[in-house]
Amino acid sequence: MTDRRRFLKASLLGTAASALAWGGKVSAAPASPQVPVATGARVISTWDFGVAANQAAWAILDKGGHALDAVEAGARVPEADLKNHSVGRAGYPDRDGHVTLDASIMDHNYNCGAVAAIEHIAHPISVARRVMERTPHVLLVGDGALQFALEQGFKKENLLTPESEQAWHEWLKTAKYHPSINSETRDYGRTAGKSMGMPGGANNHDTIGMLAIDAQGRMAGACTTSGMAWKMRGRVGDSPIIGAGLYVDGEIGGATSTGVGEEVIRNAGSFLVVELMRQGRSPQEACKEAVMRIVKRRPEASKTIQVGFLAMNRAGEVGAYAIQHGFSYAVCDARKQDGLIPSQSLYTTSYS
Ligand code: ASP
């Protein structure tokens, strides 16, 4: 790249940054006539690995920190965990052996950023935040996302660990792949899930979705995953799609999802949950209705897939609902830092 092009690019980014940066400024949560503001901080996350993530977020919330900082710090915990094969470093690769990551972040003022199918960067959630704060865009993908991350000083690394590579080689023995996802890989995934100590013998795909409300009533959310193991190269799930895997509306609340991303995208899942809360549903009712919409639209497919929603309104009320038994979520506030709660679900036994 010529010096002039580099200069023009830097100026563009700089202008965008000053125009769009949240810049750590403390802005008040918008008022809502419908839902009272929470009186204390709280953070919630999907799955059992959300417990450790919540604790990192709580370290920030407890000191009066910003919800956005909290969810970023929390999401980085499973991203760095080598035993977690569905998020960040050590995530299972796609069918061609590439670890590709999806992540998104959003604050209470509709600022959001995301990266999709990014490779070689261990903390996509932090790149997503940079997209939000330092570019005029919302979503960067693939090589462009990697280029931006490197320009921002992120380190390029090999994310495929020997354990994940071995799992991929095992899968290659049959290499059954179907776009509807899951049933062919579930047996293998369940074994892998058990070795990760996941609830319900969870499988080869999971996402950390986090929602936080801070002491000043500001909300933020983060969502990060390596997506479906053995996916087609270039496949992107719901997690980096604002409105699908994550949505936050400071006047109402936030929602996030886990499970087969294609079904969540088809239904704009997290946005739907927030809109249902806007219409007066509790977080629990909203999550259930969003799940039931997926089930009603694709009754056959929904028998063999998992989708779970987790939501919190701005009063700090929490709800969750999943198609299949086994989904859980972690809640952390001033009273309890390590709560893990089984989600309600449509089917009450594990799929088998
Ligand atoms: N939602 C993720 C995806 O489709 C995977 C998961 O959460 O299970 O990429």
Side-chain angles (χ1 to χ4, degrees):
M1 188 189 301
T2 63
D3 285 343
R4 182 178 147 71
R5 279 184 61 202
R6 227 179 248 125
F7 171 77
L8 285 174
K9 196 165 81 178
S11 326
L12 175 67
L13 285 174
T15 310
S18 46
L20 293 177
W22 165 72
K25 271 192 216 128
V26 174
S27 49
S32 166
Q34 298 171 37
V35 188
V37 187
T39 49
R42 175 169 285 169
V43 58
I44 61 174
S45 301
T46 53
W47 300 113
D48 59 346
F49 46 74
V51 172
N54 281 356
Q55 283 165 359
W58 185 252
I60 291 170
L61 294 174
D62 195 31
K63 290 193 203 107
H66 201 293
L68 188 65
D69 295 328
V71 293
E72 183 191 1
R76 288 173 64 96
V77 173
E79 283 184 342
D81 183 353
L82 295 181
K83 293 198 285 312
N84 188 325
H85 297 294
S86 61
V87 180
R89 191 186 279 130
Y92 285 147
D94 66 15
R95 63 194 302 181
D96 299 333
H98 304 276
V99 180
T100 68
L101 306 177
D102 296 340
S104 62
I105 195 161
M106 187 163 189
D107 76 7
H108 67 277
N109 277 329
Y110 316 103
N111 298 310
C112 47
V115 288
I118 188 171
E119 293 180 50
H120 306 300
I121 302 292
H123 289 296
I125 196 65
S126 296
V127 186
R129 183 168 176 178
R130 296 283 177 95
V131 171
M132 168 178 142
E133 293 180 335
R134 300 190 186 184
T135 82
H137 306 304
V138 166
L139 174 61
L140 294 181
V141 306
D143 288 346
L146 173 61
Q147 182 185 327
F148 171 70
L150 297 176
E151 285 165 4
Q152 290 291 311
F154 289 83
K155 200 172 110 204
K156 185 171 183 179
E157 41 186 310
N158 176 20
L159 304 179
L160 185 64
T161 59
E163 197 185 354
S164 295
E165 191 170 8
Q166 195 190 340
W168 172 56
H169 284 299
E170 274 303 309
W171 176 77
L172 281 176
K173 287 179 185 164
T174 51
K176 283 192 184 168
Y177 181 87
H178 193 279
S180 66
I181 306 175
N182 226 319
S183 49
E184 285 83 2
T185 60
R186 185 170 292 141
D187 284 345
Y188 177 79
R190 189 178 293 153
T191 309
K194 270 187 184 145
S195 72
M196 288 190 281
M198 287 179 172
N203 43 50
N204 58 5
H205 61 87
D206 281 327
T207 296
I208 178 109
M210 302 190 78
L211 299 163
I213 188 159
D214 64 30
Q216 296 185 45
R218 296 166 302 202
M219 288 196 77
C223 188
T224 176
T225 187
S226 51
M228 313 298 293
W230 340 128
K231 61 196 172 187
M232 288 180 72
R233 181 137 177 81
R235 181 265 186 187
V236 169
D238 56 323
S239 307
I241 310 293
I242 296 296
L246 176 70
Y247 198 71
V248 175
D249 183 325
E251 293 188 353
I252 305 298
T256 188
S257 62
T258 183
V260 177
E262 283 73 4
E263 298 307 325
V264 179
I265 293 170
R266 263 188 253 284
N267 291 279
S270 291
F271 182 74
L272 173 62
V273 171
V274 172
E275 286 306 295
L276 289 166
M277 292 195 291
R278 190 191 307 278
Q279 291 165 21
R281 308 290 204 291
S282 69
Q284 181 66 33
E285 291 165 345
C287 289
K288 181 171 182 179
E289 188 163 336
V291 162
M292 293 315 295
R293 227 177 255 199
I294 290 173
V295 171
K296 277 183 201 137
R297 285 174 182 175
R298 289 167 65 85
E300 281 312 306
S302 66
K303 285 181 189 156
T304 55
I305 61 161
Q306 174 67 303
V307 170
F309 290 107
L310 176 64
M312 180 162 67
N313 65 16
R314 75 182 207 130
E317 293 166 342
V318 176
Y321 200 80
I323 301 176
Q324 311 288 347
H325 171 79
F327 177 43
S328 61
Y329 59 99
V331 180
C332 176
D333 57 26
R335 279 177 303 159
K336 193 161 171 55
Q337 264 92 71
D338 59 357
L340 185 66
I341 298 171
S343 168
Q344 289 183 24
S345 57
L346 175 62
Y347 300 119
T348 50
T349 51
S350 297
Y351 39 72
S352 57

